[in-house]
Amino acid sequence: MRKFARHAVFYAVLIGIWALLGALKIWPTYVFPTPKGVGEALYAGFQDHSFWIAIAVSMKRMLLGYSLSVVLGMVLGLGVASNKFLEETMGGLLVSLQSLPSICWLPLAVLWFGLTEKAILFVVVMGSLLSVTIAMEDGRKQMPKIHSMAGRNLGATGLKLFWYVLLPASLPFILNGLKQGWAFAWRSLISGEMIFVSLGLGQQLMMGRDLNDMNLVIAVMLLIIAIGYIVDGLVFRTAERSLQRRWGLEPAS
Amino acid sequence: MTPNPALQPSFTGDHRNPARASNARWKAGAAPSVVSLRQADSDANPKVHLDGISLSYKTNDGKRLLALDNIDLKVQPGEFLCIVGPSGCGKSTLLHLIAGLNQPTSGSVLMDNKPVTAPGTDRILIFQELGLFPWLKVGENVEFGMKMKGLSKAERRERVDYYLRLVHLSQFKDSYTHQLSGGMRQRVALARALATEPDVLLMDEPFAALDAQTRDLLHDELERLWAETGRTIIFVTHNVREAIRLGDRVALISFRPGKIKREYRVDLPRPRQLEDVSVALCAREILDDLRGEIDKSLREQYGDKEVHA
């Protein structure tokens, strides 16, 4: 409760300073929007459903692209981790590719897939695939060997071994990578949506720019932050906590 | 020192009198059916037969190391065999070979006269580090092998309850393994292994990390479970007294290469206690033989020319 109170005070002060700066009219409102204007833009956006649609479209792309890269990344990561040749060759390539912002793939993606959903999905997948792959590779290596031996000893083979033993055993080690993959995918998606016109939050933001409506721009920025925060807190924190409880790992505090 | 009549040394390959151990199994309360069955067994049908097993592997500096050298061992159905040797002699490796987690360089492991090529639920290994799955509850851990075997849900549930009761852990079915003490975790591993109903239980220094009281308790429980279920047990330990406390027969493995140096039959009546004078006397005799191997292993580990005891 005290933590909540601290948060409430902090944000109240922050918005207060913002409102104060706005009220002083140092800059024109079209350069420096006020909390009131942004609030109204948020209200209007939800009122005419344009925000709901944008969120739905963006989330759909995220879910599709992210699931794709999780599945692909796990297969790739396991492959790289279990083969010495792949590890030496692909391993280095993956790490160096990770320094490339995935939006750089957009020109190629548009050329290959046209101005379609596929192009944007490609950018999202490229954004998170490497994180997931590297995390899976690390996870497979860090995972205590005893678990896979125990699994085989109890009769698990092939796909069963992967699903019931290797995957759950490496989960604590890959969770951070999955989380990072989600964050990268989210950034890639918004950048992609901003550059080529289609529905989605990124496009809403660019619309604000085109209309010179900074209230809308900030409103969408707030939405992007909120969704990122909610997914992180709701999905990944919950998963983390449940893992810690099961494995008996103390949360780092 | 006069030879101890309870301990009859026999050399590798000598497997006379296979049913002898059953007479000494349990003074009172043993299931008679199990005893008669074992008496009918002959030397020709060992449960597990290690037929000239050797294992060598490449070390980091490129040399080939002979870890196990021509091991010949027959284990009778229902027998409790203990394998002792200094650390690093390949005892655990031997169990991994029997479990099918590893393949020997030459020779073969036979189960009921059929060669072993892969892991199978007819022989379950209990690892030294247990290998319980931390993401599963106690009950789910016990259930795991049966699930892999494809048993029906109802049967699985029934057996989980049965084996958890057997190891006195019924009320911990829904706990996670990290919430249990070392001794309790040991019992979960035992229940998990027993639940797949293997013919042979392979145990790799299972009680080495436990305190003395818990270990004594688990010795009693293991002996009781062995008597109740009639399983064949191959038990690896570096503790000679433990081997004599539990085993019908004790096989001593030498250090590098791992060979069966000697075998001993333990004719002490059951139940035995670790503190029994007779157990200590038997242990003394084996330890005399083991001393040389321990010295060899220490020299290897510490690189000394000589070790002063």
Side-chain angles (χ1 to χ4, degrees):
Chain A
M1 206 55 217
R2 278 185 65 168
K3 198 175 157 201
F4 177 78
R6 276 204 296 269
H7 279 179
V9 169
F10 173 72
Y11 286 108
V13 169
L14 205 66
I15 294 171
I17 293 171
W18 178 15
L20 189 72
L21 284 171
L24 290 174
K25 298 211 190 299
I26 308 169
W27 306 281
T29 46
Y30 64 84
V31 175
F32 192 85
T34 59
K36 186 165 164 282
V38 172
E40 280 164 3
L42 271 173
Y43 180 78
F46 282 117
Q47 198 64 31
D48 68 7
H49 302 299
S50 58
F51 280 0
W52 290 120
I53 293 167
I55 290 172
V57 168
S58 291
M59 287 315 277
K60 192 189 122 208
R61 286 175 183 150
M62 268 305 278
L63 287 178
L64 251 164
Y66 184 65
S67 337
L68 253 171
S69 52
V70 166
V71 173
L72 276 175
M74 281 185 173
V75 174
L76 262 171
L78 273 180
V80 172
S82 55
N83 184 309
K84 203 151 182 93
F85 176 77
L86 280 180
E87 189 192 330
E88 279 166 5
T89 51
M90 286 276 282
L93 178 69
L94 289 175
V95 174
S96 55
L97 268 180
Q98 217 196 2
S99 61
L100 183 76
S102 74
I103 197 68
C104 300
W105 289 101
L106 191 74
L108 276 176
V110 171
L111 190 69
W112 291 340
F113 303 108
L115 287 171
T116 59
E117 284 291 301
K118 278 187 200 145
I120 208 130
L121 273 182
F122 181 78
V123 173
V124 173
V125 169
M126 288 317 284
S128 55
L129 177 65
L130 297 174
S131 296
V132 178
T133 306
I134 291 169
M136 189 71 210
E137 186 197 339
D138 280 350
R140 181 70 184 82
K141 281 194 216 144
Q142 282 178 46
M143 184 194 97
K145 236 174 109 187
I146 181 81
H147 290 142
S148 86
M149 283 210 292
R152 283 170 55 214
N153 178 43
L154 289 163
T157 48
L159 217 60
K160 269 186 179 169
L161 185 69
F162 172 76
W163 186 253
Y164 289 112
V165 181
L166 298 185
L167 191 62
S170 51
L171 211 53
F173 306 102
I174 59 176
L175 192 68
N176 262 325
L178 290 177
K179 199 163 126 180
Q180 195 192 45
W182 173 273
F184 277 143
W186 188 230
R187 277 153 226 221
S188 312
L189 174 75
I190 301 295
S191 326
E193 286 180 344
M194 280 173 72
I195 290 180
F196 89 76
V197 177
S198 59
L199 299 161
L201 282 168
Q203 192 241 338
Q204 281 288 322
L205 198 145
M206 282 316 266
M207 200 164 84
R209 177 204 156 170
D210 295 340
L211 301 175
N212 213 1
D213 181 356
M214 290 307 128
N215 286 332
L216 179 59
V217 170
I218 291 182
V220 176
M221 281 165 67
L222 289 178
L223 279 181
I224 293 170
I225 294 170
I227 289 172
Y229 187 78
I230 287 168
V231 170
D232 186 72
L234 228 61
V235 180
F236 289 104
R237 283 273 165 87
T238 314
E240 229 164 47
R241 249 181 247 131
S242 117
L243 271 180
Q244 279 163 351
R245 208 191 54 240
R246 284 175 169 225
W247 286 66
L249 310 164
E250 285 304 307
S253 60
Chain B
M1 194 170 159
T2 47
N4 191 331
L7 205 60
Q8 307 169 358
S10 63
F11 294 90
T12 312
D14 182 359
H15 300 285
R16 289 159 304 184
N17 200 8
R20 178 219 42 78
S22 61
N23 303 329
R25 165 165 269 197
W26 201 248
K27 268 179 155 168
S33 64
V34 174
V35 172
S36 64
L37 213 165
R38 297 170 80 228
Q39 277 165 342
D41 294 325
S42 77
D43 205 19
N45 285 312
K47 191 79 213 167
V48 180
H49 181 187
L50 306 183
D51 189 7
I53 285 197
S54 298
L55 181 81
S56 61
Y57 55 87
K58 253 202 186 110
T59 53
N60 286 334
D61 49 7
K63 281 185 221 145
R64 282 208 85 77
L65 187 81
L66 189 59
L68 295 172
D69 184 16
N70 199 21
I71 301 248
D72 258 309
L73 199 62
K74 283 180 184 168
V75 189
Q76 301 306 319
E79 188 178 7
F80 200 134
L81 171 75
C82 289
I83 298 179
V84 290
S87 63
C89 74
K91 311 183 292 276
S92 304
T93 315
L94 195 61
L95 285 193
H96 285 214
L97 290 178
I98 301 173
L101 292 167
N102 237 329
Q103 299 299 321
T105 318
S106 66
S108 54
V109 179
L110 301 164
M111 246 317 259
D112 295 317
N113 294 320
K114 284 189 276 298
V116 163
T117 51
T121 42
D122 51 348
R123 60 222 123 79
I124 294 293
L125 170 61
I126 300 180
F127 297 90
Q128 193 174 357
E129 12 357 10
L130 301 185
L132 294 176
F133 300 136
W135 60 90
L136 297 178
K137 291 174 181 167
V138 166
E140 294 166 331
N141 261 291
V142 176
E143 191 188 3
F144 187 87
M146 298 186 274
K147 199 167 161 183
M148 294 303 112
K149 248 175 139 178
L151 294 187
S152 74
K153 214 168 190 164
E155 195 173 348
R156 269 158 30 201
R157 199 169 324 137
E158 201 177 298
R159 278 212 220 164
V160 166
D161 290 344
Y162 174 77
Y163 283 102
L164 280 180
R165 224 176 311 128
L166 205 62
V167 296
H168 308 300
L169 281 176
S170 293
Q171 72 265 49
F172 293 98
K173 189 177 168 185
D174 292 321
S175 306
Y176 286 104
T177 53
H178 68 88
Q179 295 166 318
L180 308 182
S181 69
M184 285 155 91
R185 253 177 270 177
Q186 196 65 60
R187 271 145 52 197
V188 176
L190 198 57
R192 181 173 77 168
L194 288 171
T196 58
E197 311 208 323
D199 293 344
V200 179
L201 209 55
L202 309 165
M203 305 180 79
D204 188 3
E205 306 214 20
F207 307 141
L210 298 177
D211 62 273
Q213 285 79 14
T214 312
R215 193 190 52 208
D216 286 352
L217 205 77
L218 286 174
H219 281 161
D220 294 345
E221 283 197 37
L222 179 63
E223 199 171 41
R224 173 177 64 84
L225 287 171
W226 172 64
E228 277 174 22
T229 59
R231 303 264 179 268
T232 309
I233 297 182
I234 304 178
F235 187 104
V236 156
T237 176
H238 63 263
N239 183 337
V240 176
R241 294 240 302 219
E242 184 175 51
I244 291 170
R245 157 78 182 81
L246 292 169
D248 290 334
R249 185 155 57 111
V250 176
L252 172 62
I253 297 200
S254 61
F255 181 78
R256 272 190 211 163
K259 273 185 179 175
I260 296 201
K261 198 179 179 195
R262 231 172 163 186
E263 285 179 47
Y264 309 84
R265 303 195 179 287
V266 185
D267 263 343
L268 301 172
R270 289 179 192 271
R272 306 164 190 152
Q273 291 300 322
L274 218 48
E275 296 78 21
D276 287 349
V277 176
S278 49
V279 168
L281 284 174
C282 289
R284 180 69 178 274
E285 247 170 86
I286 298 185
L287 270 170
D288 285 342
D289 287 343
L290 190 57
R291 184 75 59 208
E293 301 304 324
I294 293 175
D295 285 351
K296 256 202 274 175
S297 114
L298 288 178
R299 267 199 299 276
E300 182 83 21
Q301 279 175 38
Y302 299 107
D304 294 346
K305 288 272 175 284
E306 256 172 283
V307 173
H308 305 285

